[in-house]
Amino acid sequence: MSEQPVLDTLTDMTAASVDHNSLSPREYMLARVAALVAVDAPPMSWFANAAAIEESGLTNDDIQGIMIAVAPVVGAPRVMAAGGHILRALGIAIAVADAEIAEAELAAAEDGQS
């Protein structure tokens, strides 16, 4: 039994979604970003999708365009919330990167002392 069953389930669901769709990676992520805005996805959801968004080639302009396109359907509050969630996700990414750098520096220092 896995020690992270929720994360494993979400990973399996995402993999199945990727495997069973007919969209290009870019189109797939366009749809996912629109859905993230529509459901008021929290910052961790944006963080979890950040690598795939980047790999698909979506730009900041694309994401802004998606937000503009869905605004009449989902409303201004959802679009504004998405902007805040994206900024918080960026903060999470920076914190994770800082922690990884600090861990690598500590490991390198420990190796140098051996």
Side-chain angles (χ1 to χ4, degrees), residues 1 7 9 20 27 35 37-39 43-44 47-48 56-57 69 77 80-81 83 86 93 96 98-99 103 108 110 112:
M1 185 81 178
L7 182 58
T9 300
H20 297 283
E27 292 169 333
V37 174
V39 301
M44 283 306 292
F47 176 74
S56 73
M80 296 299 289
I86 291 168
V96 168
D98 286 347
E103 187 176 307
E110 289 174 354

Side-chain angles (χ1 to χ4, degrees), residues 33-42 46 66-68 70-86 88:
V33 168
L36 288 168
V37 174
V39 301
D40 194 20
W46 288 96
I66 293 165
M67 293 168 82
I68 292 166
V70 301
V73 177
V74 302
R78 286 278 165 107
V79 172
M80 296 299 289
H85 296 325
I86 291 168
R88 285 184 201 87

